[in-house]
Amino acid sequence: MKDLFGKAILDFQTNNCPEDLITETNISEKDEMSVNYLFRSYDEMPKLEQKALQLAKGKVLDVGCGAGSHSLSLQNDRNLDVTSIDISVNAIQACRLRCLKKAIVQDVMTLENEKFDTILLLMNGTGIFGTLKETPNVLLKLKSLLHPNGQILIDSSDIIYMFDDDDDGGKWITGDAYYGELTFTVSYKNETEDTFPWLYLDYNTLQNAAFANGLQCELLMEGDHYDYLAKLSI
């Protein structure tokens, strides 16, 4: 992994001539993303993210923390005990420069001997599942990290809207795979990251996967563009 996403974050934090990230998927064309967006304050966050931060409680694990904006809000505004993890070395370095107290390079799937009251997965938190097939494995891992009365706060989007209508009034979806399984490519400063899988889950599919793996699932809030926030609990 070239860690280009993290490099963009660190460049922005250290004023090292940051540029826009370029993202592309197998169903969408190239799109520019300003790194500045990853450094937004609580007041600049979408309502779904604000709602998740309001509901966070106790000992918190922020999975895929990126630039650490969610963690910083919980640490500084609400004085919560937050552990912020990401597989990006550069992103975690930036988080530490932003004075996050517990920022760790860590894959959640290898995290052991820890329990949390709240596990936070935001900015399409289901993305780290990769594929629908891997979803049960990740859900069971997250479940193992929860205190008995803990909660997983996770957001995603139903991307069915991105597909064309067919003649029968449905959607034209090619292939046999679940339509939310995408492949992502990230480019930054004339370098391109290896393509990686990224999963968007509609709420009903997330709910079914949660139930099948011993988790309750509650729809907390719906956004303006097919997105939603859900709570999973034991």
Side-chain angles (χ1 to χ4, degrees):
M1 187 177 76
K2 297 176 183 177
D3 196 10
L4 298 183
F5 210 83
K7 187 175 188 299
I9 290 172
L10 187 58
D11 281 350
F12 186 90
Q13 175 63 32
T14 58
N15 296 312
N16 184 31
C17 302
E19 298 178 8
D20 287 347
L21 286 154
I22 309 297
T23 61
E24 185 178 8
T25 78
N26 57 303
I27 64 168
S28 63
E29 298 179 351
K30 291 182 179 180
D31 189 29
E32 293 185 3
M33 176 184 179
S34 174
V35 186
N36 178 61
Y37 181 71
L38 302 174
F39 287 78
R40 60 199 179 279
S41 67
Y42 175 86
D43 290 338
E44 296 169 324
M45 293 177 188
K47 291 181 180 179
L48 285 182
E49 294 178 18
Q50 291 180 348
K51 180 69 171 179
L53 297 183
Q54 291 165 14
L55 293 172
K57 61 182 182 180
K59 186 179 178 184
V60 180
L61 177 67
D62 185 3
V63 179
C65 64
S69 295
H70 300 121
S71 294
L72 278 170
S73 177
L74 295 176
Q75 172 187 284
N76 297 342
D77 300 338
R78 299 195 51 210
N79 200 30
L80 292 179
D81 178 0
V82 186
T83 300
S84 315
I85 64 172
D86 204 294
I87 61 172
S88 166
V89 174
N90 288 317
I92 291 300
Q93 185 176 344
C95 287
R96 290 170 179 165
L97 290 172
R98 299 185 78 192
C99 298
L100 266 179
K101 296 175 183 177
K102 295 182 182 178
I104 304 167
V105 180
Q106 176 78 57
D107 184 338
V108 69
M109 297 301 289
T110 61
L111 185 60
E112 301 287 346
N113 304 315
E114 291 269 16
K115 295 284 186 180
F116 299 90
D117 301 296
T118 300
I119 300 178
L120 207 61
L121 299 98
L122 297 179
M123 291 191 70
N124 188 46
T126 64
I128 67 165
F129 299 174
T131 63
L132 195 57
K133 181 180 178 181
E134 285 299 311
T135 295
N137 293 333
V138 183
L139 288 177
L140 288 173
K141 180 62 181 182
L142 295 173
K143 180 181 175 183
S144 74
L145 297 172
L146 273 185
H147 281 307
N149 294 320
Q151 59 180 350
I152 300 166
L153 300 175
I154 186 168
D155 67 353
S156 193
S157 301
D158 184 353
I159 62 168
I160 192 68
Y161 71 91
M162 297 182 68
F163 295 86
D164 294 330
D165 295 329
D166 62 23
D167 294 335
D168 298 324
K171 293 290 184 178
W172 184 260
I173 301 172
T174 59
D176 298 324
Y178 172 66
Y179 65 84
E181 293 182 355
L182 303 188
T183 53
F184 246 87
T185 305
V186 174
S187 301
Y188 181 66
K189 289 187 174 179
N190 298 317
E191 287 189 89
T192 300
E193 192 71 77
D194 293 337
T195 298
F196 57 92
W198 194 249
L199 181 65
Y200 289 87
L201 277 182
D202 68 277
Y203 176 71
N204 286 339
T205 301
L206 174 63
Q207 185 182 53
N208 290 337
F211 288 168
N213 291 281
L215 288 163
Q216 299 299 309
C217 185
E218 178 185 355
L219 180 62
L220 297 178
M221 188 176 181
E222 292 181 285
D224 297 328
H225 197 62
Y226 306 93
D227 51 335
Y228 65 88
L229 174 67
K231 181 176 81 170
L232 311 183
S233 55
I234 299 174

